[in-house]
Amino acid sequence: MFTLENPLVMLYVRLIGWTILGYILGKLLPKVYTTYLGKALLFVGVPIGIVSFLRQADLSGWIVIAPTTAWVAIFVGAGLAWIWIDLGVSDERFRALSRGITSREKTVETASGTTTTLEQESAWSGPTQGSFLLAMTLGNTAFMGYPVSLALVGPQYFAWSLFYDLIGSTIAAYSVGIALASRFGSTAGNQPKPNPFISMAKTPALWSLPVGVGMRFVSLPTVVVSGMSTIAWTTVTLSLVMIGMQLSQLRTLKNIKKALTCLSIKMLLTPLVVGTGLMFFGVTGEPRLAMVLQMAMPPAFSTLVIAQAYNLDRDLTVTTLAFGVVLLLFTIPIWLWLFS
């Protein structure tokens, strides 16, 4: 029933409302405000929120399944994406052989003068393959996954989403993500490549996980607990505002066909396959729904940061980010219907 008492209706009101507000603010305010908000959430809001929600979460059962499922979903999605890329490259080769290779001239400035060469056009260049795989493997399981999980699954099972994100998605971003970017892209000039180990060490959310688990056994004054809870729920709201502010800074939407294919595999096929497979391991109910929702999140905005650092296909990355947020509104009811 479409009333404000319905958790799904309330979620949509918050998702759409706060994201639109963030989009408007992003258009009106200087870009630096988005950076300030992101840093405030990353270094203050999210760590306090993790500690606060972990005090309410149920850590019983085989919660180690959550990060394991995250890694399975990442490699399943990457495998399906690689199959699609291979089919696309093979199709290009077949058409080139059957109709004759279509080439274009490319002018290169060298020390000895100008040299003109022939370059074969390809819709699946190395940077495009890298962006396709990167968007497939890295989901927005924190700033967007947390609000969705808390609204539809609740704080009691939030730990499943949290472990999925921190031990799965976050570590994958600095390992699998950097590896893919290094394989298919390149850094410009003398720009140093990001060190994944230093990047992980600078991620406060990872450090707040053991702190939050330890704080479960510490008795705190009521005013402190109440204050932490207020900051935690405020962070959830501001995360959606920041998503809107980031969306307002996206400029070009190209390669729509590739983006929709990528999102179909990441946000539909992978959650369906892995979520169904969890049933055979006895994982059902709210824990499974929490993980399926995390699998079905759109690509993370960190994919754009990595794509820019390694000269990947920025246009494809931007398009998957924008369309992914919209597609999420249509996929959430599907997962509630199938796995709730």
Side-chain angles (χ1 to χ4, degrees), residues 45-56 158 162 207-213 215-216 220 228 232:
V46 171
I48 292 177
I50 288 173
V51 174
S52 177
F53 288 129
L54 273 178
R55 291 178 63 86
Q56 310 170 48
F158 177 67
L162 184 64
W207 293 104
S208 61
L209 177 61
V211 172
V213 173
M215 291 288 286
R216 288 168 58 88
L220 297 175
M228 290 173 57

Side-chain angles (χ1 to χ4, degrees), residues 7 35 51 60 70-71 115 125 129 136 141 147 152 156 164 167-168 174 192-193 196 225 244 258 261 283 315 333 337:
T35 304
V51 174
S60 63
W71 284 97
T115 303
S125 63
Q129 293 182 37
M136 184 67 56
T141 52
L152 299 180
Q156 182 181 2
Y164 185 104
I167 308 180
Y174 298 114
K193 293 186 177 182
V225 174
K258 284 190 181 68
T261 301
V283 183
D315 290 339
W337 177 59

